[in-house]
Amino acid sequence: MTDSPTPTWPMTRPTAAALALVLLAALALVGALPARADVPSDPAAARRWTGTWAAAASGTAPALPGASIRNVVHVSVGGSAARVRVSNRLGTAALRLGAVTVALQKPGVPNSPDAMPGSLRTATFGGARTVVVPAGQDRLTDPVALRVPAHGNLLVTLYTPHDSGPATFHRSARQTNFLAPYGNRAADENGSAYTTAIGSWYYVTGVDVLGSSAVGSVVTLGDSITDGNGSTADANRRWPDRLAERLRALPAARRLGVLNAGVSGNRLLRAGVGPSALDRFDADVLTRTGVRTLIVMVGINDIKGTPNVTDPAALTAAYRRVVDRSHARGIRVVGATLTPYGGHGAYTSARERVRQAVNASIRGDGIFDAVADFDRAVRDPVRPHRIRPAYDPGDHLHFNDAGMRALADAVALSDVAP
C-alpha cells in the first residue's frame, strides 16, 4: 500500500468581522454561565483553538430525511467558545443541513436529550444557518459563543431536511444519542420530541474549544479497544477517557485534550470496518486541531482477521510510516503493544507468534518515541496469551472498565505531555 496524497478537507471560515462579533458575544455570555478553571488568563491562550473531542468516521448508515439528530459528546477540556466539525467524508452525495445547534446537556441526566436552559446556541457556517457539505468533505462551524465545561457533555443537533444519501457516522458510540423523527427540532431545549434512542454519532466528528488552558491535544489511533468496546455505555470509561482524567491533573502548560480515533473492527493495513488506519490517518490525525502527541494501538485485527497478516514486518513497516508522517508535522508518537486474546475464537498459536514478534519490535526496535506496554499491563501472569480474568468482559479480546483503567494507567504522562 502506498501513501495517498494528503487530502484537503475544505472548511468554511468566518470573515474577520463575523469572528469578531462572535467573540464579543462570547465575552458577553461569560457572566451568564459559571466560570471554569480550564479558561486561561493568558491572552495568547485565549485566542488558541484546541481539540477536545473526536470520533472517526467508521462507515455509513441510511439517511434520516426530515429528522433531527441529537448527538451527545463528552469533551475532555473546556473553553470559552466551541466549533464543530461536521462530516460527509464517506457520503456519495451532497449533505444538506437545515440547522445545527450546540448546547450543554442538562446536568445530572446523562441519558437525556434535554438541554441546560439558556445554553442552546445556533451554529452557523460563514454566517449562514444552513450548509451544503460536498461528498468526501468536512465543514467547520463558525465559533459558537458557549462556555464549555471540561469533562462535560454537549448536545450537537443536526436537522437533515432531505435524503442526502448514505450518512457518514461513527457506528459504536458507547453513548446514547437521540432522534426526533419529524421536523426541525434542533432549537428545542426540551427533549420531548426526541423519542428514539440511537447508539451511533451521525455526521459529527470533532469539537474544538477556544481559549482552553490546555496547550494542545493527543490523538489515540486504534480499533475497538480504543473505541471502548467492553466498557460501560454512557459512562465514559474508555481508556482514552481515563487518560483525559489523568491529563487534567497536570499543570496547564502540559495539559492536553484527548481525541479518540478508535474504530471498532479497524485494521492498520486493509480497509474493512471503515477505511484502514493508514488510509484515514490524514483525516483523523493530521487535520485535527493542535495535535502534539499520537498514541498508536492498532494491528490485532490485521493479525486475527481474514485474510490475516502473517509477516510481522508488514505491521512494523506501517508503524514506521505513521511515525515518519507524524514527525514531519512535529507530532510525537507513542506506540502501544498489542494486547492478548487467547480464548477468543480467532486465536491460534501461529497468530500469537506474530503478535509476540510485533510487540518485541514495538518494545525494542526504536520505532516510536516512547512505548506504552499495554500487553504487560493486562496479561494474565499465569497464562500470558490471555487477558487477566478481572479485566475480561467475557469475550477474551476487549476490556471491562477495570481493564480500560489499567490500559490508560500504563501510559506514562511524561511520554504524552513532556
Side-chain angles (χ1 to χ4, degrees), residues 190-271:
N190 183 293
S192 59
Y194 291 86
T195 55
T196 302
I198 53 178
S200 303
W201 288 304
Y202 279 74
Y203 301 117
V204 178
T205 58
V207 177
D208 301 334
V209 288
L210 183 68
S212 173
S213 63
V215 294
S217 60
V218 53
V219 175
T220 59
L221 181 67
D223 49 38
S224 56
I225 293 172
T226 299
D227 211 5
N229 285 23
S231 66
T232 301
D234 296 312
N236 304 303
R237 291 177 183 168
R238 311 165 192 86
W239 75 259
D241 297 321
R242 168 61 180 163
L243 177 63
E245 293 174 4
R246 296 181 63 213
L247 287 167
R248 188 182 183 188
L250 292 178
R254 296 176 58 206
R255 199 172 301 149
L256 299 173
V258 176
L259 307 180
N260 190 331
V263 171
S264 295
N266 205 219
R267 299 171 67 146
L268 178 61
L269 299 173
R270 180 186 292 267

Side-chain angles (χ1 to χ4, degrees), residues 272-359:
V273 181
S276 72
L278 283 180
D279 286 342
R280 64 188 179 89
F281 182 76
D282 290 343
D284 292 334
V285 180
L286 297 185
T287 68
R288 298 297 176 168
T289 302
V291 178
R292 294 201 168 193
T293 303
L294 169 66
I295 303 175
V296 178
M297 196 268 189
V298 62
I300 199 66
N301 290 323
D302 298 79
I303 294 172
K304 72 176 185 61
T306 303
N308 63 298
V309 171
T310 58
D311 182 3
L315 293 176
T316 55
Y319 292 148
R320 293 184 189 278
R321 289 167 58 191
V322 166
V323 171
D324 288 345
R325 295 175 67 190
S326 299
H327 284 176
R329 297 292 189 92
I331 298 171
R332 177 179 177 83
V333 188
V334 178
T337 51
L338 303 180
T339 50
Y341 70 107
H344 186 271
Y347 177 86
T348 68
S349 57
R351 293 173 179 180
E352 174 66 4
R353 286 192 292 272
V354 176
R355 185 183 75 89
Q356 292 289 357
V358 170
N359 281 349

Side-chain angles (χ1 to χ4, degrees), residues 31-216:
L33 294 170
R36 316 300 292 192
D38 263 33
V39 181
S41 57
D42 175 35
R47 297 189 296 270
R48 180 178 61 224
W49 287 100
T50 302
T52 186
W53 176 87
S58 69
T60 60
L64 298 167
S68 297
I69 307 159
R70 182 152 283 181
N71 299 280
V72 181
V73 305
H74 184 72
V75 303
S76 52
V77 295
S80 58
R83 64 185 183 188
V84 175
R85 181 188 297 244
V86 296
S87 181
N88 191 23
R89 189 182 313 149
L90 303 181
T92 58
L95 167 64
R96 301 178 184 275
L97 296 178
V100 178
T101 62
V102 182
L104 304 181
Q105 190 177 41
K106 191 172 182 180
V109 282
N111 296 324
S112 169
D114 293 340
M116 176 178 171
S119 72
L120 193 141
R121 309 282 186 267
T122 297
T124 58
F125 300 81
R129 295 191 175 200
T130 63
V131 68
V132 176
V133 186
Q137 297 187 12
D138 291 352
R139 288 289 185 267
L140 280 175
T141 69
D142 301 334
V144 176
L146 176 67
R147 190 176 292 283
V148 177
H151 297 269
N153 283 359
L154 295 181
L155 304 178
V156 181
T157 308
L158 307 95
Y159 169 55
T160 55
H162 309 295
D163 187 341
S164 297
T168 295
F169 81 148
H170 182 92
R171 179 173 58 87
S172 181
R174 309 295 299 169
Q175 172 68 58
T176 302
N177 304 288
F178 303 94
L179 180 71
Y182 307 109
N184 183 1
R185 311 309 295 260
D188 289 9
E189 283 188 348
N190 183 293
S192 59
Y194 291 86
T195 55
T196 302
I198 53 178
S200 303
W201 288 304
Y202 279 74
Y203 301 117
V204 178
T205 58
V207 177
D208 301 334
V209 288
L210 183 68
S212 173
S213 63
V215 294

